[in-house]
Amino acid sequence: MSKLGNLGARLYRGEVGYDFIGKRKIWYGISILITVVALAGLVVRGLNMGIEFSGGAVLTTPKTSVSSSEAQHLAESASGGQQAVVQKLGGGSLRIQISGLDTKQAVPVQEKLAEDLKVPVKDINTQLVGPSWGEEIANKAWLGLGIFMVLVVIYLAIAFEWRMALAALIALIHDLTITVGVYALVGFEVTPGTVIGLLTILGYSLYDTVVVFDSLKEASKDITKQTRFTYSEVANRSINGTLVRSINTTVVALLPVAGLLFVGGGVLGAGMLNDISLALFVGLAAGAYSSIFIATPLVADLKNTEPQMKALAKRVKAKRASAAAKEAEHPRSQDGADPDGPEPEGDEAAAGLVGPRTQPAARNRGRGRPSGKRR
């Protein structure tokens, strides 16, 4: 078995683990800091809305030796100072976006660009986009996002409980805020591809969250019938038990997205690939983070406000204090055996639902017994 697989097995059995719940305030602080930076970038710089939302003209030229920066200067000059965005496409052609142009203005700009670039006018493909179309797309995107959020909350409330639904909703909003903030800070254009990417990452983020929630639901079944673990400790075991799976899923998903972003967008200069892949890359990373460090700790905080969980925490604390006092009064021998013998506990069967899967008694139970009939 590989080292990572061995670590995953040990995490699943509860032999090792990291205290995610106990250090949740650190992760809350980090998330708040990242969110504040993202919102600051959104307020200060704003989103660079693509021509699909602002309206204008898109001109695609044939192969030319003119550089992108020079073509941008020529386009802005030909359009009378309108902002232009130029992208180098495969084969040496250019994609020039000029915002604020209508049908009457587009024809003279097309002719002037053809003259400056020394290409035939008929070889320049011009497409006009009205601002009303972009507004319609934005409204449908907001509507789809709202419907998705409502359905997620309803499903999680039915399949799990309302606390998990609320925590998942907060985690999704957290992921969207960070992704949109990164778009504002980087300055990438917001296009329909960006909207597609944003809606896609919600599914990935929700998947990781549901995996942890399902493990937590199973582990916390009949939790009040035992006195070995609090709800926070069970939640922490659930995160550790699914940690390697979440990491593997995220890494496998990020690798092809990174290829789209850094190779497809950076090397090949594919415009829409940048829009989709950046949203996917940031959203997948933020989704994996929020599932582990935000959603489940929030569920633990909400559950710990219940009277039953408060009473359970008191019983667990009292039992551990009693065990510590008994250990101080009757220390164990060097071989780890209790000189007074094992103390029977009535809740051992229930504790097995959430306790470590490998107990010392289980490992020692069978020592000294003959393995078979001697010949």
Side-chain angles (χ1 to χ4, degrees), residues 120-182:
V121 176
K122 60 182 181 63
D123 290 344
I124 297 181
N125 183 25
T126 304
Q127 296 178 342
L128 294 176
V129 180
S132 59
W133 184 83
E135 184 179 356
E136 182 181 357
I137 293 295
N139 292 334
K140 289 183 178 180
W142 283 112
L143 178 61
L145 179 62
I147 294 174
F148 177 84
M149 292 292 191
V150 171
L151 292 177
V152 164
V153 171
I154 294 175
Y155 168 76
L156 291 180
I158 296 174
F160 299 99
E161 58 174 300
W162 69 267
R163 296 168 187 83
M164 292 184 176
L166 178 60
L169 179 62
I170 293 174
L172 290 177
I173 295 174
H174 166 274
D175 301 339
L176 285 175
T177 303
I178 292 178
T179 306
V180 173
V182 169

Side-chain angles (χ1 to χ4, degrees), residues 190-235:
V190 177
T191 65
T194 305
V195 177
I196 294 171
L198 289 175
L199 295 177
T200 304
I201 63 174
L202 297 179
Y204 280 101
S205 176
L206 187 63
Y207 171 78
D208 282 339
T209 303
V210 168
V211 167
V212 182
F213 283 178
D214 185 65
S215 175
L216 177 57
K217 178 184 177 182
E218 184 67 24
S220 61
K221 185 179 180 181
D222 296 331
I223 188 175
T224 56
K225 295 181 181 179
Q226 53 84 47
T227 55
R228 298 181 59 201
F229 297 99
T230 65
Y231 189 89
S232 294
E233 292 169 344
V234 174

Side-chain angles (χ1 to χ4, degrees), residues 12-15 216 219-238 304 308-320 345 347-360:
Y12 181 77
R13 293 193 298 266
E15 297 175 2
L216 177 57
S220 61
K221 185 179 180 181
D222 296 331
I223 188 175
T224 56
K225 295 181 181 179
Q226 53 84 47
T227 55
R228 298 181 59 201
F229 297 99
T230 65
Y231 189 89
S232 294
E233 292 169 344
V234 174
N236 197 66
R237 287 172 58 84
S238 298
N304 285 332
Q308 301 92 329
M309 297 306 161
K310 291 181 178 179
L312 173 62
K314 291 180 179 179
R315 294 199 305 270
V316 172
K317 184 178 180 180
K319 180 178 179 181
R320 291 176 181 175
E345 298 186 15
D347 60 351
E348 278 299 319
L353 293 171
V354 294
R357 296 166 176 79
T358 305
Q359 301 292 340

Side-chain angles (χ1 to χ4, degrees), residues 12-27:
Y12 181 77
R13 293 193 298 266
E15 297 175 2
V16 295
Y18 180 80
D19 191 8
F20 293 98
I21 305 298
K23 298 180 179 180
R24 62 190 181 280
K25 291 183 179 179
I26 297 176
W27 312 120

